[in-house]
Amino acid sequence: MEQVAEHVAEQQRQRCDLVLGGGGVRGVAHIGAMTALEEAGYDVVRAAGASAGAIAGSFAVAGVGADTLRSLFDELDFTRFALADIVARLKANRAATRLLERFSDDGTDPATWITEVLEGQGIETFGDLKVTDVEDDAPIEQRYRLVVRCLDILNRRVVRLPWDYERYDLDPDRQSVARAVRASMAIPFVYDPVRIGNRDTGAQALLIDGGLTSGFPVGVLDRSDDQPPRWPTFGIRLLPRPPTTAELPESAVELARMVIDTMLDTSDQLAPDNPCDEVRTVRVDLSEVGTLDLDADEEYDLFSSGYEAMHAFLERFSFEEYKGRCRA
């Protein structure tokens, strides 16, 4: 009887794709939203993300459960991830040499942590994350369950991995998922940029955080053959803070902090491009929380904010209505 019940429960589960932005500390809200999604009976098939969204998305498609995701993010040191440590040092006006020495320490790099989590799920390369029900000659955008966004500062362009590996003479199937995710959160002076490519042919890239510019559109994973979608795509948007009146900086330190705050608060906001994208976008109101507010989860409970926003969204969302209105 238990096996029958489990089979019925499995049959009742639905599939979806996820598009996630960055967000630093605010990224904990993604985990809350994904927990509500799992409880509602959804399994994530594919995910697109940058920075914190790349981490959450990679773990989701690797099969890490929502409860485990929460504990993993609780372990993540956001003082390193969200640039807070560098800001604290700028405030203290410490010597630049000591700053650089601090961030060159191997202990600050999350690559090992990401690798261990993914390998625990049997995921090492993008070949382990191939979509099983598409042809081998299908467009590359349809062949993988994860795509992460980076910026190639060597060639000054946006890079979507694994889709763009062939630009650099690399076989997508053989490239490390953890390394791609790590590249998507590489912020200069915090984590070193990630170098990929073939030096002999000159097809090289130097990759940094893809969340430092406008992120993926909600429709990045949509079908391109004019056929209706088989399952929904949900975008999770962490609402930005409203503009505030600020005083002019009086020192180089204050100016540096203002630049960093602006760069992070205005980046990767996942704003829908049209009304149909708005219909499938979950709005999480974190307008009182900054990317660098390390105590924000205690004060605002970011996990619950994401959880409640997704729960309310699913109560009113109808996939059939969406298809009839937007994908007829």
Side-chain angles (χ1 to χ4, degrees):
M1 290 295 293
E2 290 182 1
Q3 291 181 341
V4 173
E6 290 177 0
H7 177 71
V8 172
E10 183 177 344
Q11 290 294 100
Q12 293 175 340
R13 294 194 68 80
Q14 305 173 73
R15 293 182 287 181
C16 70
D17 293 338
L18 278 184
V19 181
L20 308 165
V25 173
R26 292 153 45 102
V28 174
H30 288 320
I31 308 305
M34 291 163 66
T35 300
L37 198 62
E38 183 177 287
E39 290 180 0
Y42 283 92
D43 293 324
V44 179
V45 180
R46 297 182 300 165
S51 198
I55 300 176
S58 68
F59 290 174
V61 298
V64 179
D67 289 343
T68 304
L69 275 174
R70 176 69 193 274
S71 64
L72 288 171
F73 263 67
D74 285 344
E75 295 172 7
L76 185 59
D77 184 355
F78 279 108
T79 62
R80 296 169 181 171
F81 176 76
L83 267 183
D85 207 358
I86 191 172
V87 171
R89 288 168 180 273
L90 287 170
K91 278 185 173 181
N93 201 21
R94 298 189 181 184
T97 52
R98 294 185 62 189
L99 177 67
L100 295 175
E101 287 173 1
R102 161 65 172 80
F103 289 119
S104 65
D105 182 0
D106 290 340
T108 67
D109 199 306
T112 301
W113 175 73
I114 297 170
T115 300
E116 289 176 352
V117 173
L118 292 177
E119 288 184 352
Q121 299 297 120
I123 305 298
E124 295 184 21
T125 68
F126 278 98
D128 299 322
L129 287 178
K130 299 193 77 170
V131 177
T132 57
D133 58 351
V134 301
E135 301 295 332
D136 290 339
D137 59 352
I140 193 168
E141 292 84 358
Q142 299 175 18
R143 300 205 304 262
Y144 296 93
R145 298 184 60 204
L146 176 71
V147 54
V148 302
R149 180 186 176 94
C150 306
L151 295 180
D152 177 358
I153 58 175
L154 191 62
N155 298 290
R156 302 180 188 177
R157 61 191 177 200
V158 173
V159 175
R160 303 159 304 166
L161 303 178
W163 300 352
D164 292 328
Y165 275 124
E166 292 177 351
R167 283 184 171 186
Y168 307 103
D169 297 335
L170 297 173
D171 178 359
D173 284 359
R174 301 178 62 184
Q175 304 311 308
S176 165
V177 176
R179 185 170 172 81
V181 173
R182 163 64 177 77
S184 185
M185 55 183 292
I187 301 173
F189 304 116
V190 179
Y191 301 132
D192 290 337
V194 172
R195 184 188 300 274
I196 66 169
N198 190 325
R199 293 187 180 185
D200 295 334
T201 64
Q204 300 182 80
L206 195 60
L207 304 179
I208 65 169
D209 190 341
L212 297 181
T213 186
S214 297
F216 285 119
V218 179
V220 66
L221 298 175
D222 285 351
R223 298 180 65 161
S224 57
D225 56 4
D226 295 326
Q227 296 299 311
R230 292 178 292 174
W231 52 76
T233 294
F234 301 130
I236 301 178
R237 183 186 183 200
L238 310 182
L239 296 184
R241 289 191 297 177
T244 58
T245 302
E247 299 292 332
L248 291 173
E250 296 182 355
S251 68
V253 171
E254 291 182 7
L255 176 62
R257 178 179 175 81
M258 186 174 290
V259 169
I260 293 171
D261 281 344
T262 302
M263 179 175 64
L264 293 177
D265 282 347
T266 59
S267 68
D268 204 11
Q269 294 176 1
L270 200 66
D273 293 330
N274 55 64
C276 284
D277 282 351
E278 185 72 52
V279 169
R280 51 183 177 164
T281 297
V282 183
R283 297 162 57 91
V284 184
D285 188 359
L286 299 179
S287 54
E288 299 297 320
V289 183
T291 307
L292 306 180
D293 293 343
L294 298 184
D295 297 326
D297 199 26
E298 297 179 5
E299 183 175 354
Y300 295 100
D301 194 354
L302 304 178
F303 178 91
S304 294
S305 296
Y307 181 93
E308 292 168 4
M310 177 62 80
H311 182 74
F313 170 84
L314 292 175
E315 284 189 334
R316 63 179 183 271
F317 178 80
S318 167
F319 185 43
E320 294 304 317
E321 288 181 9
Y322 166 78
K323 287 194 295 182
R325 173 182 172 184
C326 299
R327 304 298 295 274

